[in-house]
Amino acid sequence: SDLVAVTGVAGPSGGSPDKPVGTVWLAWATQDNVICHRERFEGDRQAVRLASVRQAIDGLLALSQQSLV
């Protein structure tokens, strides 16, 4: 089964010059592959969290479509 992991700095505090608020790392894993991706989302804490969830789901959908081909 496919897996997803998300971590990052949603804010409003906790950011740094190297990892500003809105920096999110996402990873998707299948039995055969791992894909990691860094994003930088804009907005407040709620907006960053929502964008992160959407990106995570979009990645899972893309993986599932690849496995159907």
Side-chain angles (χ1 to χ4, degrees):
S1 67
D2 298 337
L3 302 172
V4 64
V6 181
T7 190
V9 185
S13 61
S16 70
D18 290 337
K19 294 179 234 161
V21 169
T23 302
V24 177
W25 280 93
L26 300 110
W28 300 269
T30 66
Q31 204 168 30
D32 303 318
N33 198 13
V34 175
I35 301 165
C36 298
H37 185 71
R38 184 182 63 171
E39 287 283 350
R40 174 78 197 283
F41 298 117
E42 298 293 328
D44 62 10
R45 181 177 180 83
Q46 183 176 352
V48 171
R49 292 179 73 186
L50 182 59
S52 299
V53 170
R54 286 182 177 153
Q55 188 74 24
I57 291 170
D58 286 347
L60 284 174
L61 290 172
L63 282 176
S64 69
Q65 289 173 353
Q66 288 176 359
S67 65
L68 294 175
V69 176

